[in-house]
């Protein structure tokens, strides 16, 4: 059976308390409320991104469509202006003048139809630009909210990290000078048993696994020398006998 000074065994509980607190802080760091909020915001931004891309694409398509409609109208206007200029100069024959007049009527009808198309495209473009503005505003709001929550997350992390650093310094002081074999066993058990390598023997119960020890195991512990490193037969953790336990055993 391994041995270590009784005082070192009791001091080991302080190390365990610091390690337990460090585990709690690690959990806190992973479960900050801001992290849940960021996950939700990322999902909402991703959902909105599809609408944003679709809306931007539709606006771009309509702008191209409007450019073409405007070009078509401009071509007809230019053709009509040239025909009208030829008529106004009086440099064409009567037959050509009749033909130009007919063409001007046709061009006027064509221009009116194209302007209707142009107006329709403009109205649809205005509607889609309004819709895009609303989607972009919603997206900007979510991005701003995400930036704010990221700041809260970073502040939370910084606070936890500062506490972890302080704990590490305290642990280094607490473990200094402890029996090397005791510390090595503790570290091994802590790695195997979910972070708890040592626990108090509280009456007849192991505070590590919360199990009541059988009388035969208690008798072995009570009869062990004060410097003996005793272990819980149920979970295997180091059982530290504090003053009240030792006194009860002696009685």
């Amino acid at each position: 059976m391994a041995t270590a000074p009784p005082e070192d065994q009791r001091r080991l509980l302080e190390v365990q308390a610091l390690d337990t607190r460090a585990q709690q802080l690690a959990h806190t760091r992973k479960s900050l409320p801001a992290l849940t909020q960021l996950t939700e915001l990322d999902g909402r931004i991703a959902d909105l991104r599809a609408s944003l891309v679709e809306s931007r694409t539709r606006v771009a398509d309509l702008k191209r469509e409007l450019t073409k409609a405007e070009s078509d109208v401009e071509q007809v206007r230019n053709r009509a202006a040239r025909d009208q200029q030829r008529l106004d100069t009086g440099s064409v024959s009567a037959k050509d003048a009749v033909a130009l007049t007919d063409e001007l009527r046709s061009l006027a009808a064509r221009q009116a139809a194209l302007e209707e198309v142009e107006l329709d495209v403009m109205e649809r473009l205005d509607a889609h630009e309004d819709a895009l503005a609303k989607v972009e505003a919603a997206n900007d709001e979510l991005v701003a909210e995400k930036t704010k929550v990221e700041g809260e997350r970073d502040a939370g992390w910084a606070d936890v990290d500062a506490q972890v650093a302080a704990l590490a310094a305290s642990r280094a002081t607490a473990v200094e000078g402890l029996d090397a074999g005791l510390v090595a066993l503790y570290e091994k058990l802590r790695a195997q048993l979910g972070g708890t390598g040592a626990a108090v023997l509280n009456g007849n119960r192991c505070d590590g696994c919360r199990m009541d020890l059988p009388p035969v195991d208690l008798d072995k512990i009570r009869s062990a020398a004060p410097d003996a490193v005793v272990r819980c037969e149920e979970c295997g953790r180091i059982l530290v006998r504090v003053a009240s336990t030792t006194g009860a055993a002696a009685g």
Side-chain angles (χ1 to χ4, degrees):
M1 179 180 290
T3 61
E7 179 58 27
D8 283 11
Q9 295 187 45
R10 288 189 287 271
R11 284 175 57 196
L12 189 62
L13 292 175
E14 179 185 350
V15 177
Q16 177 66 77
L18 291 169
D19 287 337
T20 298
R21 179 57 183 153
Q23 278 187 298
Q24 292 168 343
L25 287 173
H27 175 73
T28 297
R29 199 180 195 279
K30 294 177 183 177
S31 57
L32 290 173
L35 295 175
T36 301
Q37 289 179 266
L38 285 173
T39 299
E40 179 187 348
L41 284 168
D42 283 338
R44 292 170 63 188
I45 289 172
D47 290 342
L48 198 59
R49 188 176 297 121
S51 297
L52 195 58
V53 170
E54 181 181 353
S55 189
R56 284 172 175 168
T57 300
R58 187 58 181 144
V59 167
D61 289 344
L62 284 169
K63 284 182 176 180
R64 285 191 292 270
E65 190 175 341
L66 179 59
T67 298
K68 181 180 182 305
E70 290 173 339
S71 176
D72 291 344
V73 170
E74 187 64 22
Q75 287 178 6
V76 172
R77 284 176 179 164
N78 290 340
R79 177 64 178 272
R82 288 194 299 271
D83 287 353
Q84 188 63 52
Q85 185 178 20
R86 290 178 65 192
L87 279 175
D88 291 344
T89 60
S91 60
V92 296
S93 65
K95 180 180 179 181
D96 288 342
V98 171
L100 286 172
T101 300
D102 289 342
E103 184 173 274
L104 282 170
R105 283 196 294 269
S106 177
L107 289 172
R110 175 62 176 161
Q111 181 177 327
L114 289 174
E115 286 175 343
E116 284 291 330
V117 172
E118 180 184 16
L119 180 61
D120 175 68
V121 176
M122 289 176 64
E123 290 175 347
R124 286 188 286 132
L125 177 59
D126 285 345
H128 278 279
E129 284 181 331
D130 287 344
L132 173 59
K134 291 176 181 177
V135 175
E136 287 180 331
N139 183 71
D140 291 345
E141 184 178 342
L142 287 176
V143 170
E145 179 66 14
K146 180 180 177 181
T147 299
K148 173 178 171 290
V149 176
E150 284 175 336
E152 294 172 358
R153 175 205 61 192
D154 292 344
W157 278 349
D159 179 58
V160 170
D161 291 345
Q163 293 183 62
V164 168
L167 274 176
S170 297
R171 187 188 194 278
T173 299
V175 81
E176 186 177 359
L178 288 182
D179 182 87
L182 177 66
V183 173
L185 176 61
Y186 165 74
E187 295 290 8
K188 177 182 176 182
L189 294 174
R190 190 165 73 90
Q192 294 173 348
L193 301 171
T196 303
V200 173
L201 175 60
N202 190 359
N204 64 345
R205 173 174 294 188
C206 167
D207 272 0
C209 61
R210 304 291 181 181
M211 296 289 289
D212 290 337
L213 302 183
V216 64
D217 293 336
L218 285 171
D219 288 342
K220 289 180 182 178
I221 292 171
R222 287 166 179 163
S223 63
D227 66 347
V229 178
V230 297
R231 306 265 298 274
C232 174
E233 292 294 335
E234 300 294 334
C235 67
R237 292 180 174 90
I238 296 169
L239 276 178
V240 179
R241 294 162 286 171
V242 295
S244 59
T245 305
T246 304

